[in-house]
Amino acid sequence: MKIESYLQCVRCGKTYDIGELRYNCDCGGILDVKRDLSQVDGEFLKALWEQRWGMKRGIESSGVWRYRELILDAPDDKIVTRQEGNTRLYAAGSAGTWAGLSNLYFKHEGENPTGSFKDRGMTCGASAAKLFNAKTVACASTGNTSASMASYAAVSGMKSVIFIPEGKIAYGKLAQALAYGGITLQIEGNFDDAMTLVQQVCKELGIYLLNSINPFRIEGQKAITFEILQQLDWQVPDWFVIPGGNLGNSSAMGKALMELHELGIITKIPKIAVIQASGANPLYTMWTEHTPYQAVKNPETIATAIKIGNPVSWEKSLRAVEWSKGTVEQVTEQEIMDAKAKLDAAGIGAEPASCCSLAGAKKLADKGVIGKDETVVGILTGNILKDPDAVIGYHKDTLGDKGIRGTFANRPQQIPPTLEAVKKALGV
Ligand code: F0G
């Protein structure tokens, strides 16, 4: 199916050819991929996607390329896929009880090939790189984007260059970037400095930029929303709750919903709640104080994935929140880690940034913004194994220097190797 597409600036509306290699408008605004959906039959698309559900192999067995009509118009031989997506949607169990929500679900994007939601955007971004005949790709990252990019570059024979803030990313992610063979440049400074540098490097050296400023990354990322709705048999929940860092994921969710709505595949619009860490909260400040956008200078949070003060996609994310009549909330370090302890102890588990979804859902339920019986889907963005240091620190209660207590700590116990000692430990 051929759907006409083009690029459009989210700030001034100027349009560009879809084949033009650019990430920004002449005015400096970021770009959207736009599609002419006026002649597209939504019911037909939905039926096609249903037919592809459960395919065992091939491009359309991917949880992104199942929806390829709304992802990227690319021939099969340009598509770089690891059968990403197809992640589970869990009932929240005891974590839902803790949050005071009776219909809370989690979409576990940590079950993607490299352990984070980034693989959905990356399969599309890497395929776009192939369409542009790129040999080298680059990104700045707080860890997950770099792990994903290094993997997708490796499977498709591209070189990858990674810019990460020195000493500020979780070990599991650094390990992946190195293991997949990415050229890993640790820079002095934070993520925002790395982001500025990588844009300059890509422009000067003709390297293809794979951060979510790249509009094709956002296109792939939309598939989380498509897949959740398909898993719910197209019954639209009341809320989506999603962590916000560079604000690509929430942007993609909004765009996915707008397209489904335009196609008539959904009629109800769910509210999007973006949750930021209180130490890295530019969108929250803007939203609550009705002030113009202003970057946070020295962002700080234990959830290193979202330690971002100057998110590139804030305009698109704000558009998503406004359009869906959603909200923006912030959560403290203690709230993030306590929510993580509860999510992990429910048997589900995710990395700290992901737990903003649970912490935020609970906070919004406590405030009465989210009704206790409303249907809520939280996005878990990264795998529990990405950041073992945070887990051990919490359970050993050694995060005092960060102002975090091990409220629900499950301390490891040291015992002598005797039956008596075991009985004592078990209280039997
Ligand atoms: N959760 C995790 C685990 C992440 O890695 C990120 C972003 C986010 C949430 C926030 O998503 O940026 O779309 O708002 N990580 C990026 C990276 C910045 O470099 O891996 P966002």
Side-chain angles (χ1 to χ4, degrees), residues 105-118:
Y105 297 86
F106 287 114
K107 176 67 167 166
H108 210 321
E109 288 294 300
E111 295 176 350
N112 270 294
T114 76
S116 86
F117 75 102
K118 302 289 181 182

Side-chain angles (χ1 to χ4, degrees), residues 14 32 172 218 235 239 272 280 304 313-314 354 414:
K14 185 167 176 184
D32 252 343
I218 302 289
Q235 297 300 305
W239 287 89
I272 298 174
T304 51
S313 295
W314 69 266
S354 307
Q414 266 198 328

Side-chain angles (χ1 to χ4, degrees), residues 117-118 140-145 191 243-249 305-306 308 351 353-354 381-382:
F117 75 102
K118 302 289 181 182
S141 181
T142 55
N144 280 325
T145 299
F191 170 82
N246 217 14
L247 299 175
N249 208 15
I306 53 171
I308 296 173
E351 69 161 287
S354 307
T381 45

Side-chain angles (χ1 to χ4, degrees), residues 10 77 80 108 154-155 161 178 190 302 307 319 336 361 372 393 425:
V10 299
D77 65 342
V80 184
H108 210 321
V155 298
V161 188
L178 298 174
N190 60 26
I302 189 165
K307 194 165 140 179
R319 174 180 71 182
I336 293 172
K372 297 200 177 318

